[in-house]
Amino acid sequence: MLYVTERISRFWTWLDAVVTHADQALCANQDERARQHGWTVTKTGFGSRHYRDPRFDALKAARLADAALWAEDAPLRTPSWS
């Protein structure tokens, strides 16, 4: 029985290696191009990736800082109704 279990385990290990290799080969060009642009690459499944430009974090920080400035100025900015 141990022999059968060992063979099944080896088969799943081999199959996992084949799938991983196929996934990497399928997405290699896109991953390399994204990394050349400085993007982060996160594997989300077989043949699928999540590409993210870290500059979006700087945009979000700037937007939040701008919103904080508007919140501080809020009492000074009262609408004048004519």
Side-chain angles (χ1 to χ4, degrees):
M1 186 68 164
L2 182 61
Y3 178 71
V4 172
T5 305
E6 183 179 322
R7 288 190 72 175
I8 292 172
S9 177
R10 284 184 186 173
F11 171 75
W12 285 114
T13 302
W14 171 82
L15 185 61
D16 185 50
V18 169
V19 169
T20 300
H21 179 73
D23 179 61
Q24 290 173 350
L26 181 67
C27 298
N29 292 336
Q30 295 88 346
D31 291 352
E32 181 61 30
R33 187 171 180 184
R35 287 186 181 103
Q36 286 175 353
H37 289 289
W39 294 8
T40 59
V41 179
T42 305
K43 180 181 172 188
T44 57
F46 179 77
S48 64
R49 302 286 193 271
H50 180 84
Y51 299 103
R52 182 152 176 20
D53 189 339
R55 292 178 290 181
F56 288 133
D57 296 333
L59 290 173
K60 182 178 179 182
R63 192 177 315 118
L64 291 174
D66 188 43
L69 287 175
W70 276 93
E72 289 176 3
D73 292 344
L76 302 175
R77 296 178 187 259
T78 56
S80 60
W81 304 98
S82 309

